[in-house]
Amino acid sequence: SSGINAEYGVKAKTSYFALADSENYWIGLGLSEKGSMESSQITLCTKNGDDISVVQVGGFSHGVSPTSIEPSLTSKVTVKKEDDYITCEFMLHKSFFDTENKYLFIGAGPVEDNLILYHYATPIVSEEKFSFSEENEGSKAYSTITDFRILLHASAMITGYGIFLVVGIYTSRYLKPIFDSAWYRIHTSIIYGMVFIVAVGLASILLKQRTITTNVHELIGFLIIFLTIFQIILGSCRPYKKHQGRSCTIFLHLFIGCFLLILVVVNIFLGLSKTELNIPNHILAIQGIYVIWIVFGSIIGNEVLKHLYKNDHVVYVKKLKLYTMINIGVILMYGCTIIILLNVVE
């Protein structure tokens, strides 16, 4: 029709934006000078009951009333939700969008009582500025989330749980012959360092998310945090050596620690596998190789070493020192590699 000469399409994964069960929602695209919601121009498709429309909001705040775009400026609006995706397509006057180069971002969230509510997850933002005035067909408008808080969260959790927790458990389980009575101070120092790093990672994601969602990754994450706190209390309050409950406490501490490690492995995979993060397969492969090494190289390897030299303590300690250097080297190499790759992922 006359004057309407640009077609736009927006698509978002419902599981990322926690909208799988929502009947009323919005999905939209925005243009921004800074790559954030501040002073941005945002156009949304909204579905509120049977009412489907294209609206505009300036900047963003929770519970904002949208401004409807005149019917003469838009047409052919379709909104649908299927196969875990929300899709909106509409025709809009080409001059409606600012043609200057700006960052492009896509977001989605709930609608309640005709009000646009805050998105549950950070919008996907373009890596570079994008122009609607140029021919961009076939070009890459956006690729991955570049929010520093997500990178900080991932880096901190991988460092805390993927490195410090593993080394802490390793110290407690296998390094007593090397450190004698000092192993406990080393073990607790490593765990307290882990707690600090994890606290930074947790704070960064809570500052970004603003709203607690209930997908599997988040639920397992909070379970891990709870078990971590419980483990520290359990370890600090263990009975004295001759107490009849000491062996039970030590076994429970070991059992929860192993269970915690399994949960960490699963949750790191869940976090890195999130579709919207667009994490390359080689990063997931490195994570998989690391898990295999922890199981076979660290755990089974040390148990075999202990069995082979169970009758020769001196030789066992020498072999253990060498094997520990190899294990710590692999753990540190994994941590550095995965964090660097996460921060330079294309």
Short mmCIF file of all heavy atoms in Angstrom, two decimals, residues 188-234:
data_model
loop_
_atom_site.label_atom_id
_atom_site.label_comp_id
_atom_site.label_asym_id
_atom_site.label_seq_id
_atom_site.Cartn_x
_atom_site.Cartn_y
_atom_site.Cartn_z
N THR A 188 40.39 -25.10 53.03
CA THR A 188 39.42 -24.05 53.38
C THR A 188 39.75 -22.71 52.71
O THR A 188 38.84 -21.98 52.32
CB THR A 188 39.37 -23.87 54.91
OG1 THR A 188 40.70 -23.65 55.42
CG2 THR A 188 38.76 -25.08 55.58
N SER A 189 41.03 -22.40 52.56
CA SER A 189 41.41 -21.15 51.88
C SER A 189 40.94 -21.16 50.44
O SER A 189 40.44 -20.14 49.93
CB SER A 189 42.93 -20.97 51.93
OG SER A 189 43.38 -20.85 53.26
N ILE A 190 41.10 -22.29 49.77
CA ILE A 190 40.65 -22.42 48.38
C ILE A 190 39.12 -22.28 48.30
O ILE A 190 38.60 -21.57 47.43
CB ILE A 190 41.08 -23.78 47.80
CG1 ILE A 190 42.61 -23.82 47.66
CG2 ILE A 190 40.42 -24.02 46.43
CD1 ILE A 190 43.15 -25.20 47.31
N ILE A 191 38.41 -22.92 49.22
CA ILE A 191 36.95 -22.87 49.21
C ILE A 191 36.45 -21.45 49.50
O ILE A 191 35.50 -20.98 48.87
CB ILE A 191 36.36 -23.87 50.22
CG1 ILE A 191 36.70 -25.30 49.80
CG2 ILE A 191 34.85 -23.70 50.33
CD1 ILE A 191 36.22 -25.69 48.42
N TYR A 192 37.08 -20.76 50.45
CA TYR A 192 36.67 -19.38 50.73
C TYR A 192 36.96 -18.46 49.54
O TYR A 192 36.19 -17.53 49.27
CB TYR A 192 37.38 -18.86 52.00
CG TYR A 192 36.89 -19.52 53.27
CD1 TYR A 192 37.75 -19.82 54.32
CD2 TYR A 192 35.54 -19.86 53.43
CE1 TYR A 192 37.30 -20.43 55.48
CE2 TYR A 192 35.08 -20.48 54.58
CZ TYR A 192 35.96 -20.76 55.60
OH TYR A 192 35.51 -21.37 56.74
N GLY A 193 38.06 -18.73 48.85
CA GLY A 193 38.32 -17.98 47.62
C GLY A 193 37.25 -18.24 46.58
O GLY A 193 36.81 -17.33 45.87
N MET A 194 36.83 -19.50 46.48
CA MET A 194 35.74 -19.87 45.56
C MET A 194 34.46 -19.11 45.90
O MET A 194 33.77 -18.60 45.00
CB MET A 194 35.49 -21.36 45.65
CG MET A 194 34.35 -21.87 44.79
SD MET A 194 33.70 -23.47 45.33
CE MET A 194 32.69 -22.95 46.73
N VAL A 195 34.15 -19.01 47.20
CA VAL A 195 32.92 -18.33 47.62
C VAL A 195 32.93 -16.87 47.18
O VAL A 195 31.92 -16.34 46.68
CB VAL A 195 32.76 -18.42 49.16
CG1 VAL A 195 31.64 -17.51 49.64
CG2 VAL A 195 32.47 -19.86 49.57
N PHE A 196 34.08 -16.21 47.33
CA PHE A 196 34.18 -14.80 46.92
C PHE A 196 33.95 -14.65 45.41
O PHE A 196 33.18 -13.79 44.97
CB PHE A 196 35.55 -14.24 47.30
CG PHE A 196 35.80 -12.85 46.77
CD1 PHE A 196 35.21 -11.75 47.38
CD2 PHE A 196 36.59 -12.65 45.65
CE1 PHE A 196 35.42 -10.46 46.90
CE2 PHE A 196 36.80 -11.36 45.15
CZ PHE A 196 36.22 -10.27 45.78
N ILE A 197 34.59 -15.51 44.63
CA ILE A 197 34.46 -15.43 43.17
C ILE A 197 33.03 -15.74 42.74
O ILE A 197 32.46 -15.06 41.88
CB ILE A 197 35.45 -16.40 42.50
CG1 ILE A 197 36.89 -15.96 42.79
CG2 ILE A 197 35.21 -16.46 40.99
CD1 ILE A 197 37.94 -16.95 42.37
N VAL A 198 32.43 -16.76 43.35
CA VAL A 198 31.05 -17.13 43.02
C VAL A 198 30.09 -16.00 43.39
O VAL A 198 29.13 -15.74 42.67
CB VAL A 198 30.66 -18.44 43.74
CG1 VAL A 198 29.16 -18.67 43.71
CG2 VAL A 198 31.38 -19.62 43.10
N ALA A 199 30.34 -15.32 44.52
CA ALA A 199 29.50 -14.20 44.94
C ALA A 199 29.52 -13.09 43.89
O ALA A 199 28.48 -12.47 43.60
CB ALA A 199 29.96 -13.67 46.30
N VAL A 200 30.69 -12.84 43.32
CA VAL A 200 30.79 -11.84 42.24
C VAL A 200 29.98 -12.27 41.03
O VAL A 200 29.23 -11.47 40.44
CB VAL A 200 32.27 -11.63 41.85
CG1 VAL A 200 32.37 -10.73 40.61
CG2 VAL A 200 33.05 -11.02 43.00
N GLY A 201 30.09 -13.56 40.66
CA GLY A 201 29.33 -14.07 39.52
C GLY A 201 27.84 -14.03 39.76
O GLY A 201 27.07 -13.69 38.86
N LEU A 202 27.41 -14.37 40.96
CA LEU A 202 25.98 -14.34 41.30
C LEU A 202 25.45 -12.92 41.30
O LEU A 202 24.36 -12.66 40.76
CB LEU A 202 25.77 -14.99 42.68
CG LEU A 202 24.33 -15.06 43.18
CD1 LEU A 202 23.47 -15.92 42.25
CD2 LEU A 202 24.28 -15.61 44.60
N ALA A 203 26.21 -12.00 41.87
CA ALA A 203 25.77 -10.60 41.91
C ALA A 203 25.64 -10.03 40.50
O ALA A 203 24.68 -9.30 40.20
CB ALA A 203 26.76 -9.77 42.73
N SER A 204 26.57 -10.38 39.62
CA SER A 204 26.53 -9.83 38.26
C SER A 204 25.30 -10.29 37.50
O SER A 204 24.67 -9.50 36.78
CB SER A 204 27.81 -10.22 37.49
OG SER A 204 27.84 -11.63 37.28
N ILE A 205 24.90 -11.55 37.66
CA ILE A 205 23.74 -12.04 36.92
C ILE A 205 22.45 -11.54 37.54
O ILE A 205 21.46 -11.30 36.84
CB ILE A 205 23.75 -13.59 36.83
CG1 ILE A 205 22.91 -14.06 35.64
CG2 ILE A 205 23.28 -14.23 38.10
CD1 ILE A 205 23.46 -13.66 34.30
N LEU A 206 22.42 -11.35 38.86
CA LEU A 206 21.22 -10.81 39.50
C LEU A 206 21.03 -9.35 39.14
O LEU A 206 19.89 -8.89 38.97
CB LEU A 206 21.32 -10.97 41.03
CG LEU A 206 21.21 -12.40 41.57
CD1 LEU A 206 21.38 -12.42 43.08
CD2 LEU A 206 19.88 -13.04 41.17
N LEU A 207 22.11 -8.61 39.00
CA LEU A 207 22.00 -7.21 38.57
C LEU A 207 21.51 -7.11 37.14
O LEU A 207 20.79 -6.18 36.78
CB LEU A 207 23.37 -6.51 38.70
CG LEU A 207 23.83 -6.20 40.12
CD1 LEU A 207 25.26 -5.67 40.10
CD2 LEU A 207 22.90 -5.17 40.77
N LYS A 208 21.89 -8.07 36.31
CA LYS A 208 21.45 -8.08 34.92
C LYS A 208 20.00 -8.54 34.80
O LYS A 208 19.18 -7.93 34.12
CB LYS A 208 22.33 -9.00 34.09
CG LYS A 208 21.94 -9.06 32.61
CD LYS A 208 22.45 -10.30 31.93
CE LYS A 208 21.60 -11.50 32.25
NZ LYS A 208 20.24 -11.44 31.67
N GLN A 209 19.68 -9.61 35.51
CA GLN A 209 18.40 -10.28 35.31
C GLN A 209 17.23 -9.52 35.90
O GLN A 209 16.16 -9.48 35.33
CB GLN A 209 18.46 -11.69 35.92
CG GLN A 209 17.46 -12.66 35.36
CD GLN A 209 17.88 -13.19 34.01
OE1 GLN A 209 18.89 -12.77 33.45
NE2 GLN A 209 17.10 -14.10 33.47
N ARG A 210 17.44 -8.93 37.09
CA ARG A 210 16.43 -8.17 37.82
C ARG A 210 15.26 -9.04 38.28
O ARG A 210 14.71 -8.84 39.34
CB ARG A 210 15.88 -7.01 36.98
CG ARG A 210 16.94 -5.98 36.60
CD ARG A 210 16.33 -4.72 36.07
NE ARG A 210 17.32 -3.78 35.62
CZ ARG A 210 17.05 -2.54 35.25
NH1 ARG A 210 15.80 -2.10 35.28
NH2 ARG A 210 18.01 -1.74 34.84
N THR A 211 14.85 -10.00 37.47
CA THR A 211 13.76 -10.89 37.84
C THR A 211 14.29 -12.32 37.86
O THR A 211 14.96 -12.75 36.93
CB THR A 211 12.60 -10.80 36.83
OG1 THR A 211 12.19 -9.44 36.73
CG2 THR A 211 11.43 -11.65 37.27
N ILE A 212 13.97 -13.08 38.92
CA ILE A 212 14.41 -14.46 39.02
C ILE A 212 13.51 -15.34 38.17
O ILE A 212 12.30 -15.36 38.34
CB ILE A 212 14.39 -14.94 40.48
CG1 ILE A 212 15.38 -14.12 41.31
CG2 ILE A 212 14.71 -16.43 40.57
CD1 ILE A 212 15.36 -14.45 42.79
N THR A 213 14.09 -16.05 37.22
CA THR A 213 13.32 -16.95 36.36
C THR A 213 13.41 -18.37 36.91
O THR A 213 14.15 -18.66 37.83
CB THR A 213 13.85 -16.91 34.92
OG1 THR A 213 15.24 -17.30 34.93
CG2 THR A 213 13.73 -15.52 34.33
N THR A 214 12.62 -19.25 36.33
CA THR A 214 12.54 -20.62 36.87
C THR A 214 12.94 -21.66 35.83
O THR A 214 12.39 -22.76 35.82
CB THR A 214 11.11 -20.91 37.37
OG1 THR A 214 10.18 -20.68 36.30
CG2 THR A 214 10.75 -20.05 38.56
N ASN A 215 13.87 -21.32 34.93
CA ASN A 215 14.32 -22.36 34.01
C ASN A 215 15.35 -23.25 34.72
O ASN A 215 15.81 -22.96 35.82
CB ASN A 215 14.89 -21.75 32.71
CG ASN A 215 16.11 -20.90 32.96
OD1 ASN A 215 17.04 -21.30 33.63
ND2 ASN A 215 16.09 -19.69 32.41
N VAL A 216 15.70 -24.35 34.09
CA VAL A 216 16.50 -25.39 34.74
C VAL A 216 17.86 -24.86 35.20
O VAL A 216 18.32 -25.16 36.31
CB VAL A 216 16.69 -26.59 33.78
CG1 VAL A 216 17.57 -27.65 34.43
CG2 VAL A 216 15.33 -27.19 33.42
N HIS A 217 18.52 -24.06 34.35
CA HIS A 217 19.85 -23.55 34.69
C HIS A 217 19.80 -22.71 35.97
O HIS A 217 20.66 -22.87 36.86
CB HIS A 217 20.37 -22.70 33.53
CG HIS A 217 21.71 -22.08 33.79
ND1 HIS A 217 22.87 -22.83 33.89
CD2 HIS A 217 22.09 -20.79 33.98
CE1 HIS A 217 23.90 -22.03 34.12
NE2 HIS A 217 23.45 -20.79 34.19
N GLU A 218 18.81 -21.83 36.09
CA GLU A 218 18.71 -20.99 37.27
C GLU A 218 18.36 -21.80 38.52
O GLU A 218 18.92 -21.58 39.59
CB GLU A 218 17.66 -19.89 37.06
CG GLU A 218 18.17 -18.67 36.28
CD GLU A 218 18.30 -18.95 34.80
OE1 GLU A 218 17.86 -20.03 34.36
OE2 GLU A 218 18.84 -18.09 34.08
N LEU A 219 17.45 -22.76 38.38
CA LEU A 219 17.05 -23.58 39.53
C LEU A 219 18.22 -24.41 40.05
O LEU A 219 18.45 -24.48 41.26
CB LEU A 219 15.88 -24.50 39.14
CG LEU A 219 14.53 -23.80 38.90
CD1 LEU A 219 13.50 -24.81 38.43
CD2 LEU A 219 14.05 -23.07 40.15
N ILE A 220 18.95 -25.04 39.14
CA ILE A 220 20.13 -25.81 39.56
C ILE A 220 21.18 -24.87 40.17
O ILE A 220 21.84 -25.21 41.14
CB ILE A 220 20.73 -26.59 38.38
CG1 ILE A 220 19.74 -27.67 37.91
CG2 ILE A 220 22.06 -27.23 38.77
CD1 ILE A 220 20.23 -28.48 36.72
N GLY A 221 21.29 -23.67 39.61
CA GLY A 221 22.24 -22.70 40.13
C GLY A 221 21.97 -22.35 41.59
O GLY A 221 22.89 -22.30 42.41
N PHE A 222 20.70 -22.09 41.91
CA PHE A 222 20.36 -21.77 43.29
C PHE A 222 20.53 -22.98 44.21
O PHE A 222 20.88 -22.82 45.38
CB PHE A 222 18.94 -21.22 43.37
CG PHE A 222 18.85 -19.78 42.94
CD1 PHE A 222 18.19 -19.43 41.77
CD2 PHE A 222 19.43 -18.78 43.70
CE1 PHE A 222 18.12 -18.11 41.37
CE2 PHE A 222 19.36 -17.44 43.31
CZ PHE A 222 18.71 -17.11 42.14
N LEU A 223 20.29 -24.18 43.69
CA LEU A 223 20.54 -25.39 44.48
C LEU A 223 22.03 -25.52 44.78
O LEU A 223 22.42 -25.88 45.91
CB LEU A 223 20.03 -26.62 43.73
CG LEU A 223 20.30 -27.99 44.40
CD1 LEU A 223 19.67 -28.04 45.78
CD2 LEU A 223 19.80 -29.13 43.51
N ILE A 224 22.85 -25.22 43.80
CA ILE A 224 24.31 -25.26 43.99
C ILE A 224 24.74 -24.25 45.06
O ILE A 224 25.56 -24.56 45.93
CB ILE A 224 25.03 -24.99 42.65
CG1 ILE A 224 24.86 -26.19 41.70
CG2 ILE A 224 26.51 -24.70 42.88
CD1 ILE A 224 25.35 -25.94 40.30
N ILE A 225 24.19 -23.05 45.00
CA ILE A 225 24.53 -22.02 45.99
C ILE A 225 24.13 -22.49 47.39
O ILE A 225 24.90 -22.36 48.36
CB ILE A 225 23.82 -20.69 45.67
CG1 ILE A 225 24.30 -20.13 44.32
CG2 ILE A 225 24.04 -19.67 46.78
CD1 ILE A 225 25.76 -19.76 44.28
N PHE A 226 22.93 -23.06 47.52
CA PHE A 226 22.46 -23.56 48.81
C PHE A 226 23.39 -24.66 49.33
O PHE A 226 23.77 -24.66 50.51
CB PHE A 226 21.03 -24.09 48.68
CG PHE A 226 20.55 -24.83 49.90
CD1 PHE A 226 20.12 -24.13 51.02
CD2 PHE A 226 20.53 -26.22 49.94
CE1 PHE A 226 19.69 -24.80 52.17
CE2 PHE A 226 20.09 -26.90 51.06
CZ PHE A 226 19.67 -26.19 52.19
N LEU A 227 23.73 -25.62 48.48
CA LEU A 227 24.60 -26.72 48.90
C LEU A 227 26.00 -26.22 49.26
O LEU A 227 26.65 -26.76 50.16
CB LEU A 227 24.69 -27.78 47.80
CG LEU A 227 23.42 -28.62 47.58
CD1 LEU A 227 23.61 -29.57 46.40
CD2 LEU A 227 23.06 -29.38 48.84
N THR A 228 26.45 -25.19 48.56
CA THR A 228 27.76 -24.61 48.87
C THR A 228 27.77 -24.05 50.28
O THR A 228 28.70 -24.29 51.07
CB THR A 228 28.11 -23.49 47.86
OG1 THR A 228 28.15 -24.03 46.54
CG2 THR A 228 29.46 -22.87 48.19
N ILE A 229 26.74 -23.28 50.62
CA ILE A 229 26.64 -22.70 51.96
C ILE A 229 26.54 -23.81 53.01
O ILE A 229 27.21 -23.77 54.06
CB ILE A 229 25.43 -21.76 52.05
CG1 ILE A 229 25.61 -20.57 51.10
CG2 ILE A 229 25.21 -21.27 53.48
CD1 ILE A 229 24.38 -19.70 50.95
N PHE A 230 25.71 -24.82 52.71
CA PHE A 230 25.54 -25.94 53.64
C PHE A 230 26.86 -26.69 53.84
O PHE A 230 27.20 -27.08 54.98
CB PHE A 230 24.47 -26.90 53.11
CG PHE A 230 24.19 -28.06 54.03
CD1 PHE A 230 23.40 -27.88 55.16
CD2 PHE A 230 24.72 -29.31 53.77
CE1 PHE A 230 23.14 -28.94 56.02
CE2 PHE A 230 24.46 -30.38 54.61
CZ PHE A 230 23.67 -30.19 55.75
N GLN A 231 27.62 -26.88 52.77
CA GLN A 231 28.91 -27.57 52.86
C GLN A 231 29.89 -26.83 53.74
O GLN A 231 30.63 -27.44 54.53
CB GLN A 231 29.51 -27.72 51.46
CG GLN A 231 29.07 -28.94 50.70
CD GLN A 231 29.66 -30.22 51.27
OE1 GLN A 231 29.18 -30.77 52.24
NE2 GLN A 231 30.72 -30.72 50.63
N ILE A 232 29.93 -25.52 53.60
CA ILE A 232 30.86 -24.72 54.41
C ILE A 232 30.50 -24.82 55.88
O ILE A 232 31.36 -24.99 56.76
CB ILE A 232 30.85 -23.25 53.93
CG1 ILE A 232 31.44 -23.16 52.53
CG2 ILE A 232 31.62 -22.36 54.90
CD1 ILE A 232 31.32 -21.80 51.90
N ILE A 233 29.20 -24.74 56.18
CA ILE A 233 28.74 -24.85 57.58
C ILE A 233 29.05 -26.25 58.12
O ILE A 233 29.55 -26.41 59.24
CB ILE A 233 27.23 -24.56 57.68
CG1 ILE A 233 26.95 -23.10 57.29
CG2 ILE A 233 26.72 -24.86 59.09
CD1 ILE A 233 25.48 -22.77 57.20
N LEU A 234 28.77 -27.28 57.28
CA LEU A 234 29.01 -28.66 57.70
C LEU A 234 30.49 -28.91 57.96
O LEU A 234 30.88 -29.55 58.95
CB LEU A 234 28.50 -29.62 56.63
CG LEU A 234 28.53 -31.12 56.96
CD1 LEU A 234 27.61 -31.42 58.13
CD2 LEU A 234 28.13 -31.94 55.73
#
